[in-house]
Amino acid sequence: MKFIGIVGTNSAQSTNRKLVQFMRNHFSETAEIEVCEIGDFPAFNEPKDKVAPEGIRVLSEKINEADGVIISTPEYDHSIPAVLKSLIEWLSYTTRPLIDKPVMVVGASHGSLGSSRAQAHLRQILDAPELKARIMPGSEFLLGHSLKAFDENGELIYSEKVKELDECFEEFCLFVSITNQLVKDHRFKTEQNRKFTWEQLADGGEKA
């Protein structure tokens, strides 16, 4: 399988980057995970032509071609970073590659909660009509105290967390296989979702 691993922050020292990089190396015999950075993308500005900047279009194509997406998010003020929200807004407003795409949400934080509130918020966002990602249910990977979690070689040193991540990733691979088969059998619905606009609703929707 081929996955896109999104580092959901523009911080140069983020342990979420270390988490995605660890997953890429640790699961290399099971899947190919391409680590993608988003820190250099411009802030979303709702262009009238609905065309995203080149870097975001490239990432969108990679998502389209991948079997699934892994997003690692830190937690800022009980939510996801602005740079990650901006990327999601670009994708939902333009190419919509996340529709029916299997997504695994993970996260690391310096405290004990492991970005739990940000992950919950991200799941809610990914269920929006313009996104409609297929989010793996009933499974969370929360890496707390992440500043001490990795050694100098980028290895995750909490053995119980490695075991937990192994189980979550195995479930995700199964979830991807099942989901992509279901989506393949209902491709028309996916294309209809990509054409959704709030203007179709009688009340004009929530956007302004």
Side-chain angles (χ1 to χ4, degrees):
M1 290 184 175
K2 182 177 181 180
F3 300 141
I4 296 300
I6 295 176
V7 180
T9 177
N10 55 0
S11 170
Q13 306 298 326
S14 176
T15 51
N16 283 275
R17 178 177 296 101
K18 292 182 178 181
L19 176 56
V20 177
Q21 291 172 340
F22 172 77
M23 293 179 69
R24 176 192 61 195
N25 298 333
H26 186 66
F27 298 118
S28 60
E29 294 185 3
T30 303
E32 176 187 343
I33 301 176
E34 180 179 353
V35 178
C36 294
E37 300 281 353
I38 64 174
D40 291 334
F41 294 156
F44 176 68
N45 60 7
E46 198 170 358
K48 291 183 179 180
D49 60 6
K50 293 194 173 185
V51 175
E54 176 65 20
I56 294 174
R57 294 201 302 270
V58 170
L59 177 57
S60 177
E61 283 301 314
K62 290 181 178 181
I63 293 173
N64 271 327
E65 295 170 3
D67 296 300
V69 175
I70 301 165
I71 303 176
S72 186
T73 180
E75 183 172 311
Y76 298 161
D77 301 324
H78 294 188
S79 187
I80 64 174
V83 65
L84 178 56
K85 183 61 165 62
S86 177
L87 169 67
I88 293 172
E89 289 168 353
W90 274 117
L91 296 178
S92 69
Y93 187 72
T94 57
T95 52
R96 298 183 176 176
L98 289 172
I99 288 181
D100 284 333
K101 185 68 62 173
V103 174
M104 178 181 186
V105 177
V106 300
S109 71
H110 299 174
S112 60
L113 298 181
S115 77
S116 61
R117 290 165 294 200
Q119 289 193 40
H121 191 199
L122 179 56
R123 287 171 176 267
Q124 182 182 16
I125 293 169
L126 292 173
D127 196 41
E130 300 95 328
L131 292 161
K132 284 293 182 185
R134 301 279 183 144
I135 310 152
M136 186 172 71
S139 181
E140 291 181 311
F141 183 76
L142 311 171
L143 181 61
H145 305 292
S146 60
L147 285 175
K148 301 177 181 179
F150 300 94
D151 64 19
E152 62 274 10
N153 297 316
E155 294 295 319
L156 182 56
I157 63 175
Y158 300 155
S159 58
E160 73 281 4
K161 280 297 181 180
V162 174
K163 181 179 179 181
E164 182 183 339
L165 184 59
D166 286 344
E167 293 173 353
C168 288
F169 191 75
E170 183 178 355
E171 289 179 11
F172 182 58
C173 289
L174 179 59
F175 175 72
V176 169
S177 296
I178 295 172
T179 299
N180 284 341
Q181 184 59 51
L182 289 172
V183 170
K184 182 180 178 182
D185 294 340
H186 298 85
R187 179 60 61 184
F188 175 75
K189 185 177 179 181
T190 301
E191 294 305 319
Q192 288 297 105
N193 285 335
R194 283 181 174 161
K195 296 176 183 178
F196 170 86
T197 63
W198 284 103
E199 287 77 9
Q200 293 172 339
L201 303 181
D203 63 357
E206 298 295 331
K207 290 192 172 182

